Amino acid sequence: MPAFRLAAAACAAAALATPAAAMAEDWWYVTDDGSTIGYIDVDSVSGSQANRAALILIAQHDGSGLEFMEAEIILHCDTREWKLYSMTVIDGYGSVVASEVLDLPPEPIRDGSPGADYEAFMCNGDKSGMADIGDPYAKSAELMG
């Protein structure tokens, strides 16, 4: 799961995400690194220019089916760091597998990483390469199913 955590963290929010939150109408595709697809709820982005928080969703095929991680991330735009605050892991059937508030220490955002794609939008408002996809669960099943 390190790659999954790395993708979620790199795709670098103050309330614990729930499966119902993922059904928001404002989910946008942000990034695909070949093994995971990252989305962001554009309405969830909040905070100051220096510290931005958002709800993201990472989809991954775990070998036996799709798995999703809804996560709250905090980006420190001024220092180019991200922080994974909380996460909820959901299986392909919509059942919650795990849910934790992690509040991990900040890590650097690497250029070219999925986190840099999230940073471009959250810190600079850049929607290049992003797309409004509606239901991220259905879109993930279509792309990875």
Side-chain angles (χ1 to χ4, degrees), residues 4 17 32 53-54 56 65 69 85 90 96 110 118 125 135-136 140:
F4 191 65
D32 183 343
I56 65 168
M69 183 178 77
Y85 181 76
I90 302 162
V96 174
R110 292 189 310 260
Y118 282 96
D135 180 356
S140 297

Side-chain angles (χ1 to χ4, degrees), residues 65-79:
L66 287 176
E67 181 176 70
F68 302 91
M69 183 178 77
E70 294 177 17
E72 289 179 272
I73 59 170
I74 299 172
L75 288 180
H76 304 288
C77 299
D78 52 348
T79 61

